[in-house]
Amino acid sequence: MSDTIPFSTAIRTATEEQHTEAENSRFMSDMLGGALGVDSYHRYTGQLWFIYRALEGRWNHLSDDPVAGPFIRPELARTAELERDLIHLIGPAWREDLQPLPATAAYAARIVECAHQWPAGYIAHHYTRYLGDLSGGQVIRGTAEKLWNLPHRGDGVRFYVFDAVGNPAAFKREYRALLDQLPFDELERRRVLDEGKRAFAMNTAVFEELAAEFPARRPS
Ligand code: HEM
C-alpha cells in the first residue's frame, strides 16, 4: 500500500497507550517520586543489566544481518555502562547476589530468541529500549541524580549518558528514517508492531514484580 503510514509513526502509535502505562506504573512513579529507597534503584539497574546483556549479546552476528544490521550501533551499547553503575551502586561484588526476576528472565529470553531467529522482531525490542533511553531515560537520570545524590552524568547514572551519540534529537531522526526504510510486507509489519507491544508489556511486567518487592513507604 503506497499510502501506508511510516513505520516509525506506526510503532509509536501502536505502543502509545502502553508507554503511558509504563511511565505511570506504580514502581516508576513511586521510585521517581521519592517514595522508595535507593535500593529500588539498585534493584532496577540490576534488572536492566540482564535485559541489555540479552540485547547486546549477539551484536557481532546481528551487525551483518541485512534487516537488523543498520540498527547495531556501537554508540548505543549499554552493558559496560551498567556494569560501571552497578560497581558504584552495589560494589565490586555486585554480580554475586544479582538474580533476574521471573519477568526479567522471560523478557531477556524473548530478546535472545528474536536475536537468534527473527532479526525483524529483534528491532522491536531494540526500538523499545534504546529510543526510550534516549528520550524518557534523560528524565530518569536527572531525577535519580537529585534523589540519591549521584554524580551528574557520572557513575551510578552512566546508563543514561550517551556521550558517543552526540545529538540525540538528530540520532532519533536518523533512527526513525531507518525504521521507515525497513523492507516489510504487510504481514511482517503487523508482526513487528505486535512484538513492539509485547516488548512494552514485558517491561511493565518487570515493573510489576519490582513494585511487589518495594511497597511504597506510607507517609508518616
Ligand atoms: C518515567 C518513565 C518514562 C518517561 C518520563 C518517559 C518519557 C518519554 C518522553 C518524554 C518521550 C518522548 C521523546 C520524544 O518525543 O522525542 C519518550 C519516548 C519514548 N519512550 Fe519513554 N518514558 C518513560 C518510560 C519508558 C519506558 C519504560 C519505555 C519502554 C521500555 C519507554 C519507551 C519509549 C520509546 C520507545 C520512546 C520513543 C517513542 C517514539 O518517538 O517513537 N519509555 N518517553
Side-chain angles (χ1 to χ4, degrees):
M1 249 195 305
S2 59
D3 59 349
T4 308
I5 54 168
F7 187 70
S8 62
T9 309
I11 194 161
R12 189 178 57 223
T13 310
T15 56
E16 214 163 317
E17 238 173 74
Q18 286 172 295
H19 182 274
T20 308
E21 203 182 309
E23 199 177 332
N24 298 319
S25 66
R26 190 159 68 75
F27 179 73
M28 268 293 153
S29 337
D30 285 351
M31 182 176 74
L32 300 177
L36 308 179
V38 70
D39 50 335
S40 63
Y41 181 68
H42 295 179
R43 188 82 169 122
Y44 172 58
T45 307
Q47 298 305 300
L48 288 177
W49 181 75
F50 293 103
I51 295 165
Y52 283 80
R53 203 177 51 156
L55 278 167
E56 294 168 9
R58 271 183 71 79
W59 274 14
N60 281 349
H61 295 269
L62 283 170
S63 59
D64 293 330
D65 183 82
V67 176
F71 292 86
I72 307 303
R73 304 276 292 264
E75 63 269 43
L76 290 177
R78 297 291 90 196
T79 307
E81 276 72 8
L82 281 166
E83 291 177 359
R84 273 179 84 169
D85 288 343
L86 288 164
I87 290 170
H88 179 82
L89 297 169
I90 300 172
W94 61 272
R95 185 68 188 90
E96 271 168 29
D97 292 325
L98 182 61
Q99 296 295 335
L101 287 162
T104 308
Y107 181 19
R110 178 61 184 165
I111 295 170
V112 169
E113 188 177 33
C114 288
H116 276 84
Q117 295 172 13
W118 184 31
Y122 170 85
I123 294 169
H125 290 280
H126 190 280
Y127 160 81
T128 301
R129 286 301 334 180
Y130 295 106
L131 225 58
D133 299 332
L134 284 165
S135 311
Q138 302 314 301
V139 180
I140 300 176
R141 177 183 56 73
T143 307
E145 286 173 6
K146 273 191 228 115
L147 276 177
W148 301 302
N149 216 6
L150 295 167
H152 181 55
R153 297 170 65 86
D155 286 349
V157 294
R158 284 200 192 274
F159 169 71
Y160 303 96
V161 179
F162 288 86
D163 277 335
V165 162
N167 178 343
F171 187 92
K172 283 194 277 182
R173 266 197 306 279
E174 281 171 40
Y175 192 100
R176 291 190 182 110
L178 285 179
L179 289 174
D180 294 342
Q181 285 158 23
L182 285 166
F184 292 157
D185 61 25
E186 201 44 45
L187 176 63
E188 187 72 337
R189 181 180 160 105
R190 219 164 327 130
R191 287 181 70 221
V192 176
L193 291 178
D194 283 345
E195 192 65 25
K197 291 189 195 173
R198 186 169 180 172
F200 268 83
M202 293 188 114
N203 277 278
T204 301
V206 174
F207 294 160
E208 276 167 11
E209 289 186 4
L210 284 167
E213 244 181 47
F214 293 94
R217 286 192 294 251
R218 283 163 191 276
S220 46

